Each structure stands twice: as C-alpha cells, then as structure tokens.
Amino acid sequence: MSNTTSTHVQLIARPEGWPTPADFRIATVEYGELQPGQIRVQNEFVSVDPYMRGRMNDVRSYVAPYALGETIGGGAIGRVVASEADAIPVGSVVLHQHGWSDLVQGEATTFRVVPELPGVPLSLYLGTLGMTGLTGYVGLTAIAGMKPGDTVFISGAAGAVGTAAGQIAKLLGAGRVIGSAGSAEKVRLLTEKYGYDAAFNYKDAPVREQLAELAPDGVDVFFDNVGGDHLEAALDVMNDGGRIALCGAITSYNTTEKVAGPDNLANIITRGLSVKGFTLAAYLHLAPEFNGHMTGWFSEGRIAYDETIVDGIESTVDAFLDMMRGANTGKMLVRVGGSTAR
Amino acid sequence: MSNTTSTHVQLIARPEGWPTPADFRIATVEYGELQPGQIRVQNEFVSVDPYMRGRMNDVRSYVAPYALGETIGGGAIGRVVASEADAIPVGSVVLHQHGWSDLVQGEATTFRVVPELPGVPLSLYLGTLGMTGLTGYVGLTAIAGMKPGDTVFISGAAGAVGTAAGQIAKLLGAGRVIGSAGSAEKVRLLTEKYGYDAAFNYKDAPVREQLAELAPDGVDVFFDNVGGDHLEAALDVMNDGGRIALCGAITSYNTTEKVAGPDNLANIITRGLSVKGFTLAAYLHLAPEFNGHMTGWFSEGRIAYDETIVDGIESTVDAFLDMMRGANTGKMLVRVGGSTAR
C-alpha cells in the first residue's frame, strides 16, 4: 500500500498586489483509503501559470476564485501509485487539475491518461505539448485568424506560451515574427532557438520605439501576453484589418491600482481592427487539431522548448512568484517526483 | 443655362484640438461649361459628420486627409440642374460625396440617382435611410453579431447613428436597449420616441455608475460612438462572450493630448469579449440588405427620426462644430436648397 500523506500548498489570504509567502501555507493532507473508482497519483510536475494570480482574487472571472484554506488548483502530471479504478491501472501517467501537491487522490474521472512516448519528457504535457502550446495555437488560428505571410508580433515571447506561439506561427506560414522579452539572453534565444525573425528587450527602450523600428511594414497579428505598453505599441503599428488576440496582461495582474489603457484605442476604429480576448476553456475542442499538428512537428524535431524547473512542492510559491517576475524562460514547473519514494 | 457660381467651404489650416472658423474659408468657385458626361447639381442638403474631424488631420487614416485649400468632401444630396450625361437627366435627385458646397458639377459617375418617394424627405437619404442608418445596421449585425434577446448599450444614442441604431436593435429583436445622451431632453426622446428601454444623461453622474444600475443583468452588445468613459463603463458590465462594435470615439476627436484608455481592458480577456472597430467603407455591400429592411420598416411607420437643420452653406462650419459639441438631436444637416433660385 502506498503512502497516503501529501504535502499541499493552500491559499490562506487574498493577496493585495504581489502575493507574499504569508498568503499561502504548506499543509499536510492525510488521505483515507481509496474508495471504489478512485486513484492515487504521485505527481511528477506541477505547473505555475500567470492565470492563477487572477483566481487568487475574489472577483468575478471566467473560473471561480480559489477558496481560502484549500489547495491551489491547476495543471499537474504524475503517475498512478494505487488504483481502485479499472480504467486507470497503477503505473499510468495522468494529467489533472488538482494542482499544487506532491500526492493526490480522487475520482479517476478527474484524471486523464496520457501516453508515455520515447523522447517526450512528461513535463512537456504541461507545456508545449499541452495547454500552453494549445493556447498559442488557438490564439493564432481561431482568435487572430493568422494567414500565411502575416507579420506577427508576440509579447512576452520567451514565456511558456510565447516560445510555443512563435514557432507555431512560423510553421503555419507567418511571414515575419517579432517577439519581446525582458533580457538580452531571452532575446538571443528568441532569434537563435525559437525562429523569431526579430526580437527586442522591452527594458532597453520604450516598446513603441523598438516595435516601430522592427515592424517597418506594420503588424497584421498581435498575440498579447503582456498588455499595457505592449498593447499600446502594437496599436500604433497595426495594419488595416489587423487582428489582436488578447491572451494575457501580466503587467496588470499584481497592481493594486487600475492601470489606464492605451492612448490610441481609436486606431481600432480607423483601421478596422479586431481585438478578441480568450481563455482556453472555450476552445478545448481544438485540442485534437492542435495535437495533430504538434505531434508531427515535434516528431520531426521542429519544436524547441525550454523549461525552468525548481524542485520540491515547498518551492511552489517561490516558483510562482519568480514566474510572475519573468525569471523563467519557457514553461515554469515544479518537480515533485524526485522526492523520497513512498 | 443654369448658374455656374458656387459657394464652397474649404479647409485652409489643420485644426489643433477644436476647429475654429479660422481653419476654414468660404470660397467662390466658378465652374466652366459642362463637358460631355458631366452634370451640374444644386445641392439641397449637405451633411456634417464626426468622422470629418479625423480627415482634417494630416495623419494616416482609412481615408485620405482633406487637402488644404480644397473643398471639404462628404455626403450631400441635390437636384440636377444641367446635364451632359444621358443617364442622369435634369431634375434627377442625386446623392454624392462632393461635400460642402451649394452647387457642384462633375462626372456623372460620381453621383448616384435616388428615387423621390412620397413621404420621404430627401434629407433622410443622408441620415436614417442612408449611410447613418446603414452604419447602425452594420455595427449591430456584421460587427457585433447581435442576437434576439441581447441586451444592447448604445452610447451617444441621441445622435444620428444612435437614434437609428436603437430602433434597428429593437426591430431586430434586442431584449433591452440602453442609451446614453447629454441632456435630459435627449434622454426623454430616447425612451419616448426611439424605443429605448432605458436611458441616462452622462452629465448627471459617472457613466460607470449609471450604466451598472440600468444594466443589472449585464450587456451583450455595446455599440460605441463615444469612447472614453463610456467604453470603460461598458467593459465593467459586459457579459461573457459580449461583443463591442467601435463606431466612433467622439470624446477624443478634438483633444490635443492623447487620452488614456479604459482601466479595465483585461476584462476583454477574462470574459472572452470581441472588440471590433469599423468604418463603413468596407461594408457597403450590406446596403441592399439594409435597404430591404429599412424600406419596409419605414413604410410601416416604425422608424422615427430627428434632424437638426441649419440654413445656408455659410453656416456649415458652425453646424459642424455644434454637432461635435452635441447640440444636435439626430442627424445634423445644412439646408442649402432654400437659397435663391438659379
């Protein structure tokens, strides 16, 4: 019989602005015996994502706020260590949304089995091969209607979504892909590893100036993970009929004041722009289409990725905060499978 | 032979902020003899519209800026007083874009004959039955995808586009239609004459407060003619999947400073909103569909309208400025046909 003691990270106070460690607690959860239909999963990786910040607030949004005193929900992947469900035997690898813990048990229906494939680290199912990659794909296709030849600008391009989105754009035929990131090293990776045609460090000079210089023929599609000055700069240079996919606005997630929007929104009118916000929940039906593309690209060696991995479930809050500050390149993950065998 | 002397209003300086009479001149234009294929038209009404303000600036936009020293182009309707074109005989009523003058002549192909119908003032072809009505129709249908039952908010509702759009929304099955305007009298007209279910005076209290109170179940479609605080207030109350048609942003047209946008743009993401700007030029193909609807509605007596009319081509600049300040209810027009017979 496997271990039933689990370490969870729980929200205990609603952050004002930047979260602090005091907003969370490390809790020990003791599970009871497995009931029929349940499985027990030893997590290998848990995901920290920008959208989680929104769920820490008690405001109307597209998903319910996290309850105080409960475990932070979110993507994780692990291996079944005990099973009372015929459909998911011990040893299976499963994806789930039970979030920040090293061990979890629950109804088998809340877990999804994924194949273990040679050369595919399990962590990728939380990133490029999973929701993160799908987010890039959906934003470019269903939301922005990217067409071959389009000039595409992606903000926060060295993050989990950005590294995937830039490559997907090129593979789908984008003409020129421009990215922004927050360090010289990330900018280098964008052009050398991720196929971006041009990239800039938004800390070097105003985004407006740098983007205008790199996009002399304008931008057709803007995939925004950042908001604020990036959205404003993009509105400056959007071509007539351009399309903006709003995926994230990380600049605003930890501010306590509301931040005024771009000063050039009227360009949306005069240039006939489409601006569409999205969260992935409404577009999960595109997963098979995405998987079809991505499986092929990945097996052909055409997909690069980075992961920024910290170890130990107790490091999850720090990992989350580091990710919000841009310390990561590619997907930020917490590895918990390396802990003691149970 | 008809008179060949015409009075035109021309732009002679690019306004900074609010235009002043000094930015314009009243010019006498002496036409030569009609050439084959040309017609001469005595205007009856010329139109003053918010979009003209943008064309007075020398900036990239969807139509070329007005040239300094030339006549202000725009919608007008008049009667043919001389013709060297078989297709358009003397006496025909024609719509055209030659703009602010009392008499104009040019190639017949730049004029479009419209029918004279009993009970239909010619001025309506510049308003509810023309581009203005079509703008309301396009914004609600092609841009915002309004569905029966939707709650619709229309800003600047007592203007030319707003008075048409509110009625069109109701006739197309909108559930609840809310409008904003700048005086108690206009607010009264919206609910008593134009079929709005609720309306408020944006000068009475913050738009955010008033709209939230009148839209307790949220807004599905926002048709924006105003921008600024109206867009911000709408973003507060938009329902998930809501659609915003950006038609105008009159608050910003005469500012010399750029104006920061709404502080709640992130709602576009979390609520999956679509924001689309439009100008009519790309949607003229919907004119027959619109005309089909509008002709029926109008003949059934289901369309109300107001016109704010001033007399004399020399009054055009004042009419334009008054319209920009909101002095009009419904369409603002300059009547020039009442001048001396020629």
Side-chain angles (χ1 to χ4, degrees):
Chain A
M1 175 187 160
S2 65
N3 176 49
T4 58
T5 304
S6 175
T7 303
H8 288 223
V9 182
Q10 301 178 333
L11 188 71
I12 57 170
R14 302 219 174 270
E16 300 275 331
W18 282 94
T20 70
D23 297 323
F24 305 89
R25 72 176 169 207
I26 307 293
T28 298
V29 172
E30 192 69 43
Y31 287 113
E33 267 188 67
L34 273 187
Q35 302 300 311
Q38 291 191 324
I39 62 174
R40 183 174 302 145
V41 173
Q42 169 68 52
N43 281 334
E44 302 217 357
F45 293 94
V46 305
S47 181
V48 293
D49 298 283
Y51 79 86
M52 293 173 164
R53 179 62 189 84
R55 293 189 66 185
M56 294 174 188
N57 299 328
D58 187 19
V59 297
R60 163 183 166 182
S61 191
Y62 58 101
V63 282
Y66 292 126
L68 290 184
E70 293 192 355
T71 303
I72 301 278
I77 191 164
R79 196 176 295 275
V80 178
V81 291
S83 174
E84 292 291 337
D86 292 344
I88 307 187
V90 168
S92 304
V93 173
V94 290
L95 265 177
H96 62 88
Q97 290 290 320
H98 293 285
W100 292 4
S101 71
D102 57 358
L103 182 83
V104 65
Q105 76 182 42
E107 300 303 316
T109 53
T110 63
F111 297 81
R112 182 163 68 82
V113 176
V114 295
E116 268 189 291
L117 301 174
V120 182
L122 293 187
S123 56
L124 280 190
Y125 287 113
L126 295 175
T128 306
L129 300 187
M131 293 297 186
T132 303
L134 179 57
T135 299
Y137 182 82
V138 165
L140 290 167
T141 59
I143 306 299
M146 195 201 85
K147 299 187 296 288
D150 278 350
T151 294
V152 177
F153 171 47
I154 300 173
S155 64
V161 170
T163 50
Q167 298 178 85
I168 293 169
K170 291 301 284 188
L171 288 163
L172 293 177
R176 179 173 169 82
V177 178
I178 303 163
S180 70
S183 76
E185 170 63 13
K186 288 179 178 177
V187 166
R188 191 186 62 75
L189 282 173
L190 289 179
T191 54
E192 295 185 3
K193 181 171 181 179
Y194 290 108
Y196 279 76
D197 298 288
F200 64 91
N201 180 346
Y202 62 80
K203 295 173 180 169
D204 282 349
V207 178
R208 283 188 130 139
E209 293 173 13
Q210 296 193 78
L211 179 61
E213 191 166 320
L214 292 179
D217 298 322
V219 166
D220 302 302
V221 166
F222 173 40
F223 189 116
D224 192 17
N225 298 300
V226 174
D229 56 351
H230 281 76
L231 178 55
E232 190 165 71
L235 286 169
D236 273 356
V237 298
M238 293 302 292
N239 289 327
D240 290 355
R243 291 134 279 140
I244 299 178
L246 295 186
C247 177
I250 200 165
T251 50
S252 68
Y253 293 171
N254 295 294
T255 55
T256 49
E257 297 164 17
K258 294 207 169 198
V259 178
D263 63 18
N264 50 357
L265 287 177
N267 289 355
I268 297 173
I269 304 173
T270 54
R271 303 184 189 177
L273 305 180
S274 297
V275 182
K276 191 160 167 51
F278 75 109
T279 56
L280 199 54
Y283 297 90
L284 295 177
H285 60 282
L286 295 179
E289 178 183 314
F290 164 71
N291 291 336
H293 283 295
M294 183 54 84
T295 304
W297 293 329
F298 191 83
S299 65
E300 295 161 10
R302 303 172 79 183
I303 294 290
Y305 64 93
D306 276 285
E307 296 173 332
T308 304
I309 294 178
V310 300
D311 277 296
I313 191 68
E314 298 83 358
S315 305
T316 307
V317 171
D318 286 342
F320 175 68
L321 294 174
D322 284 348
M323 180 275 301
M324 296 291 284
R325 293 193 183 98
N328 58 307
T329 298
K331 182 72 176 175
M332 186 80 159
L333 294 166
V334 179
R335 178 164 47 203
V336 294
S339 48
T340 57
R342 316 255 172 167
Chain B
M1 175 185 159
S2 65
N3 177 47
T4 58
T5 303
S6 174
T7 303
H8 288 222
V9 182
Q10 301 178 332
L11 187 71
I12 56 170
R14 305 221 173 267
E16 299 276 330
W18 281 94
T20 69
D23 297 322
F24 304 89
R25 71 175 170 207
I26 306 293
T28 298
V29 171
E30 191 69 43
Y31 287 112
E33 265 188 67
L34 276 187
Q35 301 299 310
Q38 292 191 322
I39 62 174
R40 183 174 301 148
V41 172
Q42 169 68 51
N43 281 334
E44 301 217 356
F45 293 94
V46 304
S47 182
V48 293
D49 297 282
Y51 79 86
M52 293 173 164
R53 178 62 189 85
R55 294 190 66 184
M56 294 174 188
N57 299 328
D58 187 19
V59 297
R60 163 183 166 183
S61 191
Y62 59 100
V63 282
Y66 292 127
L68 290 183
E70 292 192 355
T71 303
I72 301 277
I77 191 164
R79 196 175 294 274
V80 178
V81 291
S83 175
E84 291 291 337
D86 292 344
I88 307 187
V90 168
S92 304
V93 173
V94 289
L95 265 177
H96 62 87
Q97 291 289 321
H98 293 283
W100 293 2
S101 72
D102 57 358
L103 183 84
V104 64
Q105 77 181 44
E107 300 303 315
T109 53
T110 63
F111 298 81
R112 183 164 67 83
V113 176
V114 295
E116 269 189 291
L117 302 173
V120 182
L122 293 188
S123 57
L124 280 190
Y125 287 112
L126 294 174
T128 306
L129 301 187
M131 293 296 185
T132 303
L134 179 57
T135 299
Y137 181 81
V138 165
L140 290 168
T141 59
I143 306 299
M146 196 199 85
K147 298 186 296 286
D150 277 351
T151 295
V152 178
F153 171 46
I154 300 172
S155 65
V161 170
T163 50
Q167 299 178 85
I168 293 169
K170 291 300 283 188
L171 288 163
L172 292 177
R176 178 173 171 82
V177 179
I178 303 164
S180 71
S183 76
E185 170 63 12
K186 288 179 178 178
V187 167
R188 190 185 63 75
L189 282 174
L190 289 180
T191 53
E192 294 184 4
K193 181 171 180 178
Y194 290 107
Y196 279 76
D197 297 288
F200 64 90
N201 181 348
Y202 62 79
K203 295 174 180 168
D204 281 350
V207 178
R208 283 187 128 139
E209 292 174 14
Q210 296 194 76
L211 179 59
E213 191 166 321
L214 292 179
D217 298 321
V219 165
D220 303 300
V221 166
F222 174 39
F223 189 117
D224 192 16
N225 297 301
V226 174
D229 56 351
H230 281 75
L231 178 54
E232 191 165 71
L235 286 169
D236 274 355
V237 298
M238 293 303 291
N239 290 327
D240 289 356
R243 291 134 279 142
I244 299 178
L246 295 186
C247 177
I250 200 164
T251 49
S252 68
Y253 293 171
N254 294 295
T255 55
T256 49
E257 296 163 20
K258 294 207 169 196
V259 178
D263 63 18
N264 51 358
L265 287 176
N267 288 355
I268 296 173
I269 303 173
T270 55
R271 303 183 189 178
L273 304 181
S274 298
V275 182
K276 192 162 166 52
F278 75 109
T279 55
L280 199 55
Y283 297 91
L284 295 176
H285 59 283
L286 295 179
E289 178 183 314
F290 164 72
N291 291 336
H293 283 294
M294 184 53 86
T295 304
W297 293 330
F298 192 84
S299 66
E300 294 161 11
R302 302 172 78 182
I303 294 291
Y305 65 93
D306 276 285
E307 295 174 331
T308 304
I309 295 178
V310 301
D311 277 296
I313 191 67
E314 297 83 358
S315 304
T316 306
V317 171
D318 287 342
F320 175 69
L321 293 174
D322 285 348
M323 179 275 301
M324 296 289 285
R325 293 194 183 98
N328 57 307
T329 299
K331 183 71 177 174
M332 186 79 162
L333 294 167
V334 178
R335 178 163 45 204
V336 293
S339 49
T340 55
R342 313 257 169 167

